[in-house]
Amino acid sequence: HPMGTVRRHTFVDCNADKVWSFVGAPERLHEWFPITECRVEGNKRWITLAAGIVFEEDIITLDQDLRRFQYKIVNNSLIKFHLGTVDVIPDGDNRCLMMYSTDMDPEVLALPIAGAASLGLEKVKQMFDGK
C-alpha cells in the first residue's frame, strides 16, 4: 500500500532564526499557508480550509534548536496516516533553506498538500527575502 510522500523547498535570503520565529509558530500558519483560520490549544491545532473543512491536528515536534515543526492530522475518517514537517535550515548568516514535507495515506491526498505548500513557501519567501 503506497504512501504518498511530497517535499517542497525554497531558499530565503534572511536569517534562519527570523524565518523560524514566524513559520515555527503553530498558531500563525494561516498567515502564510493557504488556509482561512487556525487555532492552537496545548498540543492540538485545528485548521480551517477555504471550503470550511476543519482538520484536527496533533503537534508532534516543536524543536527550537533544530527549527523543526511536525504535526499529524488526526481523527479523520479519510486519512489513515499523515505526518507534516517544516524545517528551517541555516545556510550562512542571512540565508536559509525552508523545507515542507508530507507523508500521507491515502497517497492521492498528498498532492493538494504539496500544491498548498508551494504557495506557502513562496509567500514566506516574498515576506522575508532581503529582510
Side-chain angles (χ1 to χ4, degrees):
H1 194 76
M3 175 90 60
T5 187
V6 295
R7 185 176 68 201
R8 298 289 182 268
H9 74 277
T10 191
F11 284 94
V12 183
D13 291 322
C14 185
N15 178 273
D17 287 330
K18 194 178 281 191
V19 174
W20 169 251
S21 69
F22 177 65
V23 301
E27 71 282 359
R28 297 188 71 180
L29 182 69
H30 63 289
E31 294 180 43
W32 61 277
F33 208 80
I35 59 171
T36 55
E37 193 185 338
C38 76
R39 177 168 65 90
V40 175
E41 285 175 29
N43 282 344
K44 285 276 186 192
R45 181 170 71 178
W46 292 265
I47 67 162
T48 307
L49 307 186
I53 300 163
V54 176
F55 288 103
E56 178 185 342
E57 299 171 341
D58 283 349
I59 295 171
I60 306 296
T61 307
L62 188 52
D63 189 317
Q64 304 296 338
D65 296 325
L66 276 181
R67 299 180 197 83
R68 166 168 277 193
F69 174 66
Q70 290 182 303
Y71 66 98
K72 279 183 165 171
I73 296 171
V74 294
N75 298 327
N76 186 302
S77 56
L78 289 177
I79 295 167
K80 297 182 183 72
F81 176 84
H82 169 265
L83 180 66
T85 304
V86 178
D87 285 305
V88 177
I89 301 162
D91 182 32
D93 285 341
N94 285 304
R95 189 170 190 248
C96 61
L97 171 66
M98 183 178 164
M99 193 152 57
Y100 189 105
S101 52
T102 297
D103 299 295
M104 181 77 101
D105 179 13
E107 186 178 14
V108 65
L109 294 179
L111 218 55
I113 291 182
S118 295
L119 292 172
L121 290 173
E122 191 51 44
K123 183 160 186 184
V124 172
K125 190 173 171 62
Q126 287 169 3
M127 291 171 76
F128 284 90
D129 255 358
K131 299 286 187 298

